Amino acid sequence: MTVCLLTLVAGIDRDRDAVIAGLTLPWNSGVVEGHVNRIKMLKRQMFGRVGFNLLRKRVHLA
């Protein structure tokens, strides 16, 4: 096995409870992740432009 694969397996093993919960519990954070992704996209589009007030307005309107 390569070092990368061993590191991945060690990380999964270290977080075993979280991995099992993520695969078995019915809850997820998909909606929240979608909103975060949308806000990050708007932030990237606004980089170097007018400032925070315009960014805030775009986030509220989007």
Side-chain angles (χ1 to χ4, degrees):
M1 295 176 112
T2 65
V3 174
C4 268
L5 188 55
L6 288 173
T7 304
L8 174 67
V9 171
I12 290 173
D13 191 45
R14 190 171 43 248
D15 296 331
R16 181 181 306 230
D17 291 336
V19 171
I20 291 170
L23 295 173
T24 58
L25 296 177
W27 304 291
N28 68 56
S29 60
V31 174
V32 173
E33 292 296 329
H35 289 299
V36 169
N37 192 36
R38 179 180 55 86
I39 291 171
K40 285 182 178 182
M41 180 201 58
L42 288 169
K43 184 179 175 184
R44 281 192 299 269
Q45 287 176 345
M46 299 300 294
F47 183 78
R49 291 197 165 80
V50 174
F52 181 74
N53 288 331
L54 182 59
L55 174 62
R56 182 173 49 184
K57 187 173 184 176
R58 288 216 42 205
V59 167
H60 285 286
L61 294 175

